[in-house]
Amino acid sequence: MGTSPLGRTLVIANPAANRGEGAEGAAFVQRFLDSYRGATTSHKVILTKAAGDAQNLAREARDFDSVIALGGDGVIHEVVNGLMDRDENDRPQLGIVPMGSGNDYARTLGMAINDPSRALAQLVRGHVTPLEVGRVNGVHFMETLSFGMDAAIALDTVRRRQEETTSQHGEGLFITSGIRIFSEGSNGWPCRARFDKRPEVTLPTVIFAVQVGPTYGGGFAICPDADPSDGLLDVCYNVKIPSRPWLLSLLGLARFGRHTGSSCVNLLKFTHATMDFETQPPCQVDGEELCGTHFEVDVIPKALRVIVP
């Protein structure tokens, strides 16, 4: 085994992640780091108690080389925003122990999902690489920003998990929310969008997903070529409004990235975009609701040093 890259390590853990399995995962991490002294120079494990805790803890994490987020995409999103609140020269590196339902950022990084033992082994044996994050209206995102029906689906899955109205998770949860919302249909949310120096386009937005990594919704390859190290954001958006049956078929095709050949959608890469909607659309950033009608979206290349397998 090579030298662990972790150094002085703070673990920020959401004990409620994955229907309470986060607490068990955090306890395992504590035991592991206590037992294997070569994994870190020093370490501390802190459990979050409320929304916003992880962001505050990451922002104030002084004298640490690494901050590890244990939980789902929500706690990782908070940790990323907390780290990005700090000066670039005083920003610890990021590691994740994925213990969530969607786990799309974990898929992007190639981390073991809902398996803290394997994930820790990956971190201890891992290497550090600089990766981009996205930013929309001052909020950072490590995986997904979306508008329209796909955002409504993502927000519905979060609501169902929080209200414990379902035992589903990941892909299955996304599919059942998607079938219901896509079946209802939509006339779209008209939007004027400009990507870098390309001409402005007017879109009947039903599907509009901006990606750092390839997947969202628990593994749907909405932007299959998205690469978090290329300094570019990827976007998939509809250019016309499909019929309801075609919307449902697009949902199925997107599971494996096969929707990209449809004449209903367009994909491209960009560094800066502006979007102006006539009315407020459903919008989510890494699963968190974002309100507004005007959006400024940027990529921040090599923003975070991330520990990957």
Side-chain angles (χ1 to χ4, degrees):
M1 183 191 300
T3 303
S4 168
L6 294 176
R8 297 165 299 173
T9 302
L10 173 65
V11 181
I12 301 173
N14 176 11
N18 202 27
R19 300 180 301 281
E21 292 184 11
E24 185 178 333
F28 174 84
V29 169
Q30 181 76 66
R31 292 194 301 271
F32 178 94
L33 296 181
D34 287 346
S35 300
Y36 295 92
R37 297 299 175 92
T40 64
T41 306
S42 61
H43 57 269
K44 185 176 184 179
V45 178
I46 301 180
L47 303 183
T48 61
K49 297 178 181 177
D53 281 359
Q55 182 167 344
N56 293 333
L57 288 165
R59 183 191 300 117
E60 302 302 324
R62 306 298 171 192
D63 301 320
F64 288 101
D65 301 305
S66 302
V67 173
I68 296 175
L70 184 152
D73 286 340
V75 74
I76 299 169
H77 173 77
E78 284 198 23
V79 168
V80 165
N81 275 273
L83 293 176
M84 292 302 296
D85 284 342
R86 301 177 56 160
D87 184 80
E88 182 179 0
N89 298 321
D90 184 39
R91 195 175 290 159
Q93 58 201 19
L94 170 70
I96 68 169
V97 176
M99 295 286 294
S101 175
N103 296 309
D104 284 296
Y105 193 54
R107 289 181 174 84
T108 293
L109 301 184
M111 294 296 297
I113 292 171
N114 293 327
D115 188 337
S117 175
R118 286 181 57 210
L120 271 175
Q122 288 177 312
L123 292 177
V124 170
R125 299 185 177 98
H127 65 278
V128 179
T129 188
L131 299 179
E132 69 207 34
V133 299
R135 180 176 60 204
V136 55
N137 293 3
V139 178
H140 296 93
F141 59 98
M142 78 282 175
E143 187 72 7
T144 299
L145 162 71
S146 69
F147 306 89
M149 294 183 73
D150 47 340
I153 294 167
L155 293 170
D156 188 61
T157 63
V158 172
R159 177 190 60 78
R160 290 168 63 197
R161 285 199 301 269
Q162 289 175 342
E163 295 177 356
E164 297 184 351
T165 58
T166 180
S167 60
Q168 294 178 314
H169 55 89
E171 172 192 331
L173 181 62
F174 190 82
I175 287 174
T176 54
S177 285
I179 289 173
R180 182 176 64 79
I181 290 172
F182 274 21
S183 295
E184 293 172 357
S186 171
N187 293 323
W189 291 263
C191 168
R192 291 179 290 110
R194 182 186 293 274
F195 302 99
D196 293 325
K197 296 182 179 180
R198 297 178 177 91
E200 184 177 89
V201 291
T202 300
L203 304 172
T205 300
V206 174
I207 300 165
F208 194 125
V210 177
Q211 295 287 130
V212 174
T215 70
Y216 79 161
F220 282 75
I222 192 73
C223 290
D225 296 329
D227 178 351
S229 64
D230 66 1
L232 298 166
L233 294 174
D234 286 56
V235 62
C236 174
Y237 58 86
N238 68 293
V239 294
K240 56 186 177 183
I241 297 181
S243 65
R244 292 184 191 181
W246 190 235
L247 271 173
L248 289 169
S249 70
L250 276 179
L251 178 65
L253 290 168
R255 177 66 185 90
F256 304 102
R258 294 204 294 263
H259 63 298
T260 58
S262 169
S263 62
C264 290
V265 299
N266 189 33
L267 287 89
L268 55 84
K269 294 176 180 282
F270 69 92
T271 59
H272 173 75
T274 60
M275 283 85 77
D276 286 284
F277 290 84
E278 290 183 7
T279 59
Q280 181 169 295
C283 175
Q284 65 86 26
V285 53
D286 288 337
E288 303 296 321
E289 186 172 19
L290 187 64
C291 298
T293 57
H294 174 76
F295 299 90
E296 299 270 348
V297 185
D298 294 280
V299 65
I300 306 175
K302 300 182 178 181
L304 289 176
R305 294 174 298 122
V306 183
I307 305 168
V308 297

